[in-house]
Amino acid sequence: MPNSYKLLNGKKIAADIRAEVAADVEALKKEGWPVKLVSISMGDADASALYVRNQQRAAEKTGIAFEARHYPADIGRDELLGIIQGLNTDPRVTGIIIQRPTPAHLTERRLQRTVHPLKDVEGMHPSNIGDIVYSDLKMGPCTAVAAVELLKSTGITLEGLEVTVIGHSAIVGKPIAFLLMALGATVTVCHHETRNIAMHSRSADAVFVAVGKPGLVTGKMLKPGAVLIDIGINQIETSDGPKVVGDADFESCADVAGWITPVPGGVGPVTVATLLRNSVTAARLQSEHYASEFATRKSV
């Protein structure tokens, strides 16, 4: 396999973001606004335990306080919504994370809508997603923002770039499309009803894929020299045991692509770093909100 492609090292990009976050967190502490995240998980603790540990480890390394709360699967809807509302009004808490999966009677969308937009560090509240449509990004969905960050790291001019996004979920594919359009790219979005995905991907300068199907994108589907951002995370069985892979066939795509993300080690680390950066943004927005609402006004 020729070594003509460049590997987009998500770990390096994430490290740079974390360094900026650590400096911002320290500055906020000096201003009297320490950053604190509260993680809420429900039901089977093992299902989200790894994500919670990774988030806590990353947060504490940058000086962000992290509190993990776990509730039983049968917790009442009104009780949990009341808990979230309490966190919304607690000035000591600057960010709230809703872990997945959620019990059937507690829909993810309802819980996310209950989190105040200024504390929505995951960027999934309809208000924060809607801001992307108006090119007013404050805290966007972490995975979508991270994927676009990786494309920016190539140094390619985004104005006029032809991009194909494969996958149109509300928190990944669609936000990526709007983020790229705001940067001047021409975007085509493919989904399960698209008749010929390869026709679109072969004409693109950059391809994003996020559908949860290992091996969906192959080298034959790419323009030579294109950027491939693989957001998929899938576990497959091999002769050597379980293996984590993306939605693209890395070997064949690496023969054609100019830049390519590894899985793992590509979008994942930048997603966590983006969560931390959103946490700083949330704290600063809250600081500004409290200052404007409650600062003592001098009489004329």
Side-chain angles (χ1 to χ4, degrees), residues 254-268:
D255 280 337
V256 182
W259 290 265
I260 187 171
T261 55
V263 178
V267 178

PDB file of all heavy atoms in Angstrom, residues 254-268:
ATOM      1  N   ALA A 254      -7.172   4.201   2.096  1.00  0.00           N
ATOM      2  CA  ALA A 254      -5.849   4.803   2.264  1.00  0.00           C
ATOM      3  C   ALA A 254      -5.053   4.787   0.962  1.00  0.00           C
ATOM      4  O   ALA A 254      -4.145   5.601   0.758  1.00  0.00           O
ATOM      5  CB  ALA A 254      -5.078   4.066   3.359  1.00  0.00           C
ATOM      6  N   ASP A 255      -5.377   3.876   0.062  1.00  0.00           N
ATOM      7  CA  ASP A 255      -4.708   3.831  -1.243  1.00  0.00           C
ATOM      8  C   ASP A 255      -5.078   5.021  -2.115  1.00  0.00           C
ATOM      9  O   ASP A 255      -4.357   5.355  -3.060  1.00  0.00           O
ATOM     10  CB  ASP A 255      -5.093   2.545  -1.990  1.00  0.00           C
ATOM     11  CG  ASP A 255      -4.307   1.344  -1.508  1.00  0.00           C
ATOM     12  OD1 ASP A 255      -3.215   1.539  -0.943  1.00  0.00           O
ATOM     13  OD2 ASP A 255      -4.791   0.218  -1.678  1.00  0.00           O
ATOM     14  N   VAL A 256      -6.202   5.647  -1.813  1.00  0.00           N
ATOM     15  CA  VAL A 256      -6.738   6.698  -2.687  1.00  0.00           C
ATOM     16  C   VAL A 256      -6.743   8.068  -2.009  1.00  0.00           C
ATOM     17  O   VAL A 256      -6.443   9.081  -2.635  1.00  0.00           O
ATOM     18  CB  VAL A 256      -8.183   6.342  -3.124  1.00  0.00           C
ATOM     19  CG1 VAL A 256      -8.736   7.402  -4.065  1.00  0.00           C
ATOM     20  CG2 VAL A 256      -8.224   4.972  -3.776  1.00  0.00           C
ATOM     21  N   ALA A 257      -7.084   8.102  -0.721  1.00  0.00           N
ATOM     22  CA  ALA A 257      -7.285   9.367  -0.015  1.00  0.00           C
ATOM     23  C   ALA A 257      -5.984  10.154   0.143  1.00  0.00           C
ATOM     24  O   ALA A 257      -4.890   9.587   0.200  1.00  0.00           O
ATOM     25  CB  ALA A 257      -7.898   9.101   1.363  1.00  0.00           C
ATOM     26  N   GLY A 258      -6.140  11.484   0.226  1.00  0.00           N
ATOM     27  CA  GLY A 258      -5.001  12.339   0.525  1.00  0.00           C
ATOM     28  C   GLY A 258      -4.813  12.474   2.027  1.00  0.00           C
ATOM     29  O   GLY A 258      -3.690  12.554   2.525  1.00  0.00           O
ATOM     30  N   TRP A 259      -5.926  12.536   2.736  1.00  0.00           N
ATOM     31  CA  TRP A 259      -5.942  12.581   4.208  1.00  0.00           C
ATOM     32  C   TRP A 259      -7.002  11.592   4.680  1.00  0.00           C
ATOM     33  O   TRP A 259      -8.048  11.451   4.053  1.00  0.00           O
ATOM     34  CB  TRP A 259      -6.310  13.967   4.723  1.00  0.00           C
ATOM     35  CG  TRP A 259      -5.294  15.039   4.515  1.00  0.00           C
ATOM     36  CD1 TRP A 259      -4.339  15.466   5.394  1.00  0.00           C
ATOM     37  CD2 TRP A 259      -5.129  15.864   3.354  1.00  0.00           C
ATOM     38  NE1 TRP A 259      -3.605  16.494   4.861  1.00  0.00           N
ATOM     39  CE2 TRP A 259      -4.069  16.757   3.608  1.00  0.00           C
ATOM     40  CE3 TRP A 259      -5.788  15.931   2.125  1.00  0.00           C
ATOM     41  CZ2 TRP A 259      -3.657  17.703   2.677  1.00  0.00           C
ATOM     42  CZ3 TRP A 259      -5.380  16.857   1.192  1.00  0.00           C
ATOM     43  CH2 TRP A 259      -4.331  17.733   1.476  1.00  0.00           C
ATOM     44  N   ILE A 260      -6.753  10.961   5.824  1.00  0.00           N
ATOM     45  CA  ILE A 260      -7.721   9.986   6.330  1.00  0.00           C
ATOM     46  C   ILE A 260      -7.625   9.916   7.850  1.00  0.00           C
ATOM     47  O   ILE A 260      -6.534  10.060   8.416  1.00  0.00           O
ATOM     48  CB  ILE A 260      -7.473   8.587   5.697  1.00  0.00           C
ATOM     49  CG1 ILE A 260      -8.575   7.602   6.076  1.00  0.00           C
ATOM     50  CG2 ILE A 260      -6.112   8.057   6.075  1.00  0.00           C
ATOM     51  CD1 ILE A 260      -8.484   6.279   5.290  1.00  0.00           C
ATOM     52  N   THR A 261      -8.765   9.734   8.503  1.00  0.00           N
ATOM     53  CA  THR A 261      -8.768   9.597   9.963  1.00  0.00           C
ATOM     54  C   THR A 261      -8.697   8.123  10.347  1.00  0.00           C
ATOM     55  O   THR A 261      -9.371   7.291   9.737  1.00  0.00           O
ATOM     56  CB  THR A 261     -10.052  10.197  10.573  1.00  0.00           C
ATOM     57  OG1 THR A 261     -11.198   9.584   9.965  1.00  0.00           O
ATOM     58  CG2 THR A 261     -10.117  11.690  10.377  1.00  0.00           C
ATOM     59  N   PRO A 262      -7.914   7.789  11.366  1.00  0.00           N
ATOM     60  CA  PRO A 262      -7.918   6.413  11.869  1.00  0.00           C
ATOM     61  C   PRO A 262      -9.117   6.194  12.787  1.00  0.00           C
ATOM     62  O   PRO A 262      -9.701   7.153  13.303  1.00  0.00           O
ATOM     63  CB  PRO A 262      -6.613   6.337  12.663  1.00  0.00           C
ATOM     64  CG  PRO A 262      -6.433   7.735  13.188  1.00  0.00           C
ATOM     65  CD  PRO A 262      -6.968   8.650  12.105  1.00  0.00           C
ATOM     66  N   VAL A 263      -9.500   4.954  12.972  1.00  0.00           N
ATOM     67  CA  VAL A 263     -10.523   4.584  13.964  1.00  0.00           C
ATOM     68  C   VAL A 263      -9.987   3.363  14.714  1.00  0.00           C
ATOM     69  O   VAL A 263      -9.726   2.328  14.102  1.00  0.00           O
ATOM     70  CB  VAL A 263     -11.873   4.225  13.293  1.00  0.00           C
ATOM     71  CG1 VAL A 263     -12.876   3.795  14.369  1.00  0.00           C
ATOM     72  CG2 VAL A 263     -12.428   5.398  12.497  1.00  0.00           C
ATOM     73  N   PRO A 264      -9.755   3.495  16.022  1.00  0.00           N
ATOM     74  CA  PRO A 264      -9.926   4.703  16.844  1.00  0.00           C
ATOM     75  C   PRO A 264      -8.754   5.672  16.684  1.00  0.00           C
ATOM     76  O   PRO A 264      -7.804   5.371  15.960  1.00  0.00           O
ATOM     77  CB  PRO A 264      -9.987   4.125  18.259  1.00  0.00           C
ATOM     78  CG  PRO A 264      -9.127   2.888  18.182  1.00  0.00           C
ATOM     79  CD  PRO A 264      -9.365   2.311  16.805  1.00  0.00           C
ATOM     80  N   GLY A 265      -8.855   6.818  17.349  1.00  0.00           N
ATOM     81  CA  GLY A 265      -7.766   7.788  17.350  1.00  0.00           C
ATOM     82  C   GLY A 265      -7.955   8.968  16.434  1.00  0.00           C
ATOM     83  O   GLY A 265      -7.070   9.816  16.318  1.00  0.00           O
ATOM     84  N   GLY A 266      -9.115   9.033  15.756  1.00  0.00           N
ATOM     85  CA  GLY A 266      -9.376  10.138  14.849  1.00  0.00           C
ATOM     86  C   GLY A 266     -10.347  11.135  15.446  1.00  0.00           C
ATOM     87  O   GLY A 266      -9.981  12.032  16.205  1.00  0.00           O
ATOM     88  N   VAL A 267     -11.624  10.955  15.127  1.00  0.00           N
ATOM     89  CA  VAL A 267     -12.658  11.887  15.583  1.00  0.00           C
ATOM     90  C   VAL A 267     -12.895  11.778  17.091  1.00  0.00           C
ATOM     91  O   VAL A 267     -13.162  12.784  17.761  1.00  0.00           O
ATOM     92  CB  VAL A 267     -13.980  11.639  14.817  1.00  0.00           C
ATOM     93  CG1 VAL A 267     -15.078  12.563  15.326  1.00  0.00           C
ATOM     94  CG2 VAL A 267     -13.775  11.859  13.313  1.00  0.00           C
ATOM     95  N   GLY A 268     -12.772  10.577  17.641  1.00  0.00           N
ATOM     96  CA  GLY A 268     -13.085  10.338  19.047  1.00  0.00           C
ATOM     97  C   GLY A 268     -12.390  11.268  20.036  1.00  0.00           C
ATOM     98  O   GLY A 268     -13.052  11.941  20.840  1.00  0.00           O
TER      99      GLY A 268
END
